[in-house]
Amino acid sequence: MKAIRKALTLAGGAAILTGCSDKEAQKPNVVIILADDLGYGDLGCYGAIGVQTPNSDSLAANGILCTNAHAVASTSTPSRYALLTGEYPWRKPGTDVAAGNAGMIISPECHTMADMFQSAGYSTCAIGKWHLGLGSVTGEQDWNGKLDQDLSDIGFDHHYIMAATADRVPCVFIEDGRVVDHDPEYPIAVSYKANFEGEPTGAENPELLYNLKPSHGHDMSIVNGISRIGFMKGGGRALWKDEHIADSITVNAVRFIDANADKPFFLYFATNDVHVPRFPAERFRGASTMGLRGDAIAEFDWSVGEIMAALRRNGIEDNTIVILTSDNGPVLDDGYDDKAQELVGEHSPTGHLRGGKYSSFEGGTSVPMIVFWPEGIKEKGKRSDRLFTLVDWYRSLADLLGVELPDGAAPDSQNWKDREYVLEYASNHNLSIRDSAWKYITPNNGHAVIQWGPIIETGNLPENQLYDVVNDRQETTNLAQAHPEQVERLRNALETLSK
Ligand code: NG6
Ligand code: CA
């Protein structure tokens, strides 16, 4: 392995990672904190109103705050797929928002980011929301025994995860391929086709929904007084309580850090916050002026603080790269009556960008991204407006560590310094492309606004859309007719790069 280049510097506000020293150094730990549906405007340091996020803000004040970072997709599964494999999700069938009983979407043959870290001698661990499938065959998992395929097959030494999302069954944690606290008296069965006889559902038994009621969808099995997507039976003491999810995953992340502090490690920490159902711990209730969604942001920030405290306590904070970001843009009403829309007040979850989760507009894929590494970042507290896509972390980190990747690994991941065009994938599969000056959205005949619940502009238009993202990042003025040469250039680049 080549020597680690140990510097993260900002060159004229343009750089995020710059290798500049060839001295042998101790390998830095890497922690990716991936929030769920946290919007570009949802943290204090990005302008949030009505909620305080001191721990995230402190990472920014002592690291780099990126203003032009993009998730590959505006929903979770494809976005996470790209981050962990370095491959665009549209190349791989089955990367749409996954059910809780989906089989493994990343195949064991794939050389993942976790494999890359393992090959460099790191301990690797995934904690929190997974949403990339488990077991070799969809619907065939044995939730009462050992899963026949899990994250240990794709480079993670250890995992403590939720199979999908908190709004999808099964509502249990899985640790190293087995349900945590499995209760033999209440064997678990899961189906995304039909209910199990005699089991209540949100649709038929709304009187049992003592914690949260759905606003659209989410009317199937009931766990913890909240109805979900999909049907499940059993679980007993293994069933999670939504108000304890942040505690459970954070405690497990801290445990992993404590146990691995003396060797290099990679921790992928993916929170349930601020995805629906938003049901934070009692101690965060009222922490924001925005009700449960804002309180979930406060809970997210608490998790960040606990992880940073663990790094500090172990004396490894200075040599740990912490990347805090989100899988896609924000949404207010995403299917539960949590009053997110009614209570949002002056706060703009997208930071005034257009669209949101699911959308082709910038609100769909623009995400907060903070990079922290005391030993490697020379100019602390700066902003970087460099165009960045999360698919590039894989190769950028490999390059930083001097790791050679096997042929075919991370095919769409570039060192961030070489990145010219960023591709974005909306939930209806529509593709957009942007460079640092322009954005082009492919024509699409779909509805202009989502029809099935969330109040979000999709970005669909049956004609070309071109926006000047330097002067009009809000995408208010379509310049396609005024600049046909830019449309042509971007459309050609999109066609070549997305193939
Ligand atoms: C949608 C869900 C939404 C959320 C989303 C995935 C309904 C009505 N809505 O289908 O609540 O779960 O999928 O979100 O079912 S993501 O962030 O994991 O991609
Ligand atoms: Ca998400």
Side-chain angles (χ1 to χ4, degrees):
M1 197 166 86
K2 285 186 252 155
I4 298 159
R5 287 167 290 168
K6 195 158 195 176
L8 275 160
T9 57
L10 266 178
I16 297 161
L17 290 162
T18 305
C20 68
S21 148
D22 58 4
K23 84 168 196 245
E24 270 293 349
Q26 207 207 311
K27 294 171 196 162
N29 308 302
V30 175
V31 178
I32 296 183
I33 302 176
L34 186 67
D36 199 349
D37 298 359
L38 186 76
Y40 182 69
D42 273 331
L43 295 173
C45 51
Y46 282 87
I49 299 170
V51 61
Q52 294 190 345
T53 56
N55 297 304
S56 308
D57 300 351
S58 158
L59 283 183
N62 296 290
I64 300 173
L65 181 150
C66 300
T67 61
N68 208 0
H70 300 262
V72 169
S74 56
T75 52
S76 157
T77 302
S79 174
R80 289 158 199 255
Y81 180 84
L83 173 71
L84 290 175
T85 66
E87 180 181 54
Y88 289 139
W90 52 88
R91 302 198 194 288
K92 171 92 180 172
T95 53
D96 282 328
V97 173
N101 67 346
M104 292 268 289
I105 293 167
I106 304 177
S107 48
E109 297 76 51
C110 177
H111 194 81
T112 65
M113 184 191 273
D115 287 314
M116 182 276 285
F117 279 111
Q118 262 186 352
S119 77
Y122 280 59
S123 298
T124 58
C125 171
I127 291 189
K129 172 175 170 175
W130 181 236
H131 213 192
L132 287 164
L134 286 169
S136 62
V137 183
T138 296
E140 299 287 307
Q141 296 88 352
D142 177 7
W143 301 105
N144 302 296
K146 173 96 172 67
L147 293 168
D148 68 341
Q149 256 180 32
D150 61 31
L151 280 64
S152 64
D153 296 297
I154 55 168
F156 288 101
D157 299 327
H158 174 54
H159 59 271
Y160 182 96
I161 54 171
M162 305 157 70
T165 52
D167 61 348
R168 286 174 173 74
V169 302
C171 301
V172 291
F173 290 107
I174 292 143
E175 183 168 28
D176 299 334
R178 287 178 190 277
V179 168
V180 176
D181 264 336
H182 181 261
D183 191 338
E185 276 184 47
Y186 297 92
I188 298 169
V190 173
S191 169
Y192 274 72
K193 291 194 182 119
N195 193 16
F196 299 94
E197 216 186 307
E199 294 295 314
T201 62
E204 284 161 20
N205 306 88
E207 73 283 1
L208 299 179
L209 302 177
Y210 54 85
N211 276 330
L212 271 179
K213 295 180 182 23
S215 57
H216 57 265
H218 302 104
D219 60 357
M220 293 163 241
S221 286
I222 302 171
V223 174
N224 192 31
I226 301 175
S227 48
R228 321 268 167 167
I229 308 170
F231 303 101
M232 99 174 266
K233 190 181 161 157
R237 64 165 186 252
L239 294 171
W240 69 47
K241 291 221 180 295
D242 300 75
E243 57 273 42
H244 296 156
I245 290 175
D247 284 344
S248 301
I249 63 173
T250 305
V251 161
N252 275 275
V254 167
R255 234 177 245 162
F256 174 79
I257 292 169
D258 287 344
N260 290 275
D262 58 345
K263 44 191 176 239
F265 63 80
F266 166 54
L267 169 61
Y268 172 76
F269 179 73
T271 66
N272 167 57
D273 290 321
V274 299
H275 196 278
V276 297
R278 302 169 186 125
F279 206 70
E282 194 59 43
R283 65 190 189 277
F284 298 105
R285 303 296 170 94
S288 78
T289 58
M290 290 182 269
L292 292 169
R293 185 174 186 279
D295 297 352
I297 296 175
E299 183 175 74
F300 167 78
D301 189 68
W302 169 81
S303 294
V304 173
E306 290 300 295
I307 286 180
M308 296 315 296
L311 295 173
R312 223 169 293 135
R313 196 176 57 243
N314 283 290
I316 53 174
E317 185 189 43
D318 286 354
N319 197 27
T320 300
I321 301 174
V322 180
I323 300 161
L324 184 162
T325 188
S326 178
D327 67 337
N328 53 252
V331 52
L332 291 173
D333 179 353
D334 206 15
Y336 288 96
D337 182 18
D338 57 13
K339 304 280 182 284
Q341 188 87 46
E342 293 86 335
L343 297 173
V344 71
E346 298 290 295
H347 175 74
S348 173
T350 62
H352 303 287
L353 298 176
R354 196 169 174 185
K357 181 175 179 176
Y358 309 109
S359 173
S360 284
F361 285 130
E362 285 293 279
T365 47
S366 292
V367 283
M369 187 173 90
I370 298 167
V371 187
F372 171 90
W373 185 19
E375 271 184 22
I377 295 177
K378 302 298 170 217
E379 298 173 80
K380 298 178 177 50
K382 290 276 166 70
R383 286 180 171 242
S384 170
D385 58 4
R386 185 70 159 70
L387 185 63
F388 192 96
T389 168
L390 298 188
V391 74
D392 283 349
W393 272 120
Y394 186 151
R395 194 170 294 269
S396 302
L397 289 166
D399 285 358
L400 186 83
L401 299 174
V403 179
E404 302 276 350
L405 297 179
D407 285 351
D412 298 306
S413 186
Q414 289 177 267
N415 189 301
W416 65 272
K417 284 173 278 176
D418 304 327
R419 174 64 63 180
E420 188 181 357
Y421 293 109
V422 161
L423 275 57
E424 301 173 352
Y425 189 48
S427 66
N428 63 352
H429 296 182
N430 211 39
L431 283 172
S432 309
I433 183 169
R434 48 164 300 168
D435 60 13
S436 51
W438 297 98
K439 170 163 171 188
Y440 168 75
I441 306 178
T442 311
N444 187 286
N445 285 323
H447 291 282
V449 176
I450 292 178
Q451 300 292 296
W452 45 268
I455 305 165
I456 290 178
E457 287 188 290
T458 56
N460 293 332
L461 198 72
E463 59 205 56
N464 291 319
Q465 288 178 80
L466 178 78
Y467 297 102
D468 167 353
V469 282
V470 174
N471 299 302
D472 179 27
R473 194 165 167 198
Q474 289 69 33
E475 298 165 292
T476 58
T477 313
N478 183 0
L479 296 174
Q481 297 209 346
H483 291 279
E485 76 294 346
Q486 297 297 347
V487 169
E488 186 66 10
R489 176 178 68 88
L490 290 167
R491 195 172 45 204
N492 289 338
L494 177 58
E495 204 181 304
T496 313
L497 296 170
S498 63
K499 256 197 221 129

